[in-house]
């Protein structure tokens, strides 16, 4: 079975590869951005250099980064690690500011109340600040996920297998079919990740759902 000249099995394999290369860096980037964003929020003098420095990572052209990383990491040009590292850097660039903004959105009165009942700084961060910052953080993750899906496709230009390969195949064959399928698959993947993150946000913030219902 095929669609517009592209086998369904090929679409499935490339989609899974694309999800891996876009999704894993999103999670790693979040893990790195949480402490960076907290530092930027907690130590105001560190905020501008941390947020500004990580933000600059997003200005590096993706194709140039994909080509430079093998020289820096000592890997082969087709190694997945090059794309994973590049996409993690882009995720950190977008999510560090998001985490800092999310923590800044927590009402001061709520923090004061948590401190008054005996919460230490770490316990308050985990039990109060981060849960209340989830809507802002997940909103940033949704933007980052869509961005990652888009940027990963560029790695096809250096031969890394994922949905972007359909674009180069269509170009080489002078055929629109693979390009249309590739675009459709990327859009579907982006929408799926967006919906998954939105669902996770709702599950992690049940109090917001209850407040809307009432």
């Amino acid at each position: 079975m095929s669609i517009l000249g592209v086998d369904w099995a090929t679409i499935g394999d490339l989609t899974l590869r694309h999800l891996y290369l876009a999704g894993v860096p999103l999670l790693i980037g979040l893990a790195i951005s949480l402490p960076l964003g907290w530092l930027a929020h907690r130590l105001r003098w560190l905020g501008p250099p941390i947020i500004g420095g990580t933000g600059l990572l997003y200005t590096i052209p993706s194709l140039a980064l994909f080509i430079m990383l093998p020289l820096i990491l000592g890997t082969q040009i087709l190694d997945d690690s090059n794309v994973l590292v590049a996409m993690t850097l882009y995720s950190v660039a977008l999510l560090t500011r998001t985490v800092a903004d999310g923590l800044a959105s927590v009402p001061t009165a709520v923090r004061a109340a948590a401190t008054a009942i005996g919460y230490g700084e770490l316990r308050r961060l985990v039990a109060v600040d981060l849960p209340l910052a989830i809507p802002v953080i997940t909103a940033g993750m949704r933007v980052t996920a869509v961005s990652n899906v888009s940027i990963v496709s560029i790695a096809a230009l250096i031969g890394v297998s994922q949905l972007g390969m359909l674009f180069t195949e269509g170009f080489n064959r002078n055929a629109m079919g693979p390009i249309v399928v590739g675009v459709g698959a990327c859009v579907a993947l982006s929408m799926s990740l967006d919906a998954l993150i939105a669902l996770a946000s709702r599950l992690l913030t049940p109090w917001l759902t209850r407040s809307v219902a009432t």
Side-chain angles (χ1 to χ4, degrees):
M1 295 288 292
S2 65
I3 177 173
L4 296 177
V6 183
D7 185 79
W8 278 104
T10 299
I11 298 173
D13 291 341
L14 293 178
T15 299
L16 289 177
R17 288 273 303 156
H18 207 105
L19 175 61
Y20 168 68
L21 294 172
V24 170
L26 177 67
L27 298 177
I28 298 174
L30 176 63
I32 296 172
S33 297
L34 285 173
L36 288 177
W38 177 79
L39 280 173
H41 168 72
R42 180 69 179 80
L43 304 175
R44 296 306 172 89
W45 61 275
L46 270 180
I50 289 178
I51 294 176
T54 55
L56 284 175
L57 294 172
Y58 204 76
T59 66
I60 303 174
S62 55
L63 183 57
L65 189 57
F66 292 147
I67 294 172
M68 288 190 302
L69 279 175
L71 302 176
I72 298 172
L73 301 175
T75 54
Q76 298 297 315
I77 190 89
L78 294 180
D79 284 356
D80 288 349
S81 56
N82 301 318
V83 180
L84 293 173
V85 170
M87 298 314 303
T88 297
L89 291 176
Y90 288 135
S91 297
V92 170
L94 293 177
L95 290 176
T96 299
R97 178 185 291 274
T98 295
V99 172
D101 289 344
L103 293 174
S105 71
V106 178
T108 302
V110 174
R111 288 200 182 94
T115 301
I117 62 175
Y119 278 38
E121 188 165 351
L122 180 59
R123 185 184 177 191
R124 191 193 69 198
L125 173 66
V126 174
V128 178
D129 293 354
L130 282 177
L132 292 178
I134 283 175
V136 175
I137 293 174
T138 52
M141 288 184 67
R142 293 170 71 177
V143 172
T144 306
V146 173
S147 173
N148 282 6
V149 170
S150 175
I151 295 175
V152 163
S153 62
I154 298 174
L157 294 176
I158 59 172
V160 177
S161 177
Q162 30 74 29
L163 288 171
M165 299 296 286
L166 295 175
F167 304 149
T168 56
E169 179 185 346
F171 176 80
N172 291 333
R173 288 170 42 193
N174 195 26
M176 283 296 296
I179 297 175
V180 172
V181 172
V183 170
C186 285
V187 170
L189 182 57
S190 296
M191 292 176 64
S192 298
L193 285 174
D194 182 80
L196 182 62
I197 296 170
L199 176 61
S201 179
R202 288 190 179 186
L203 293 176
L204 291 171
T205 56
W207 59 88
L208 294 179
T209 305
R210 287 196 295 268
S211 65
V212 171
T214 56

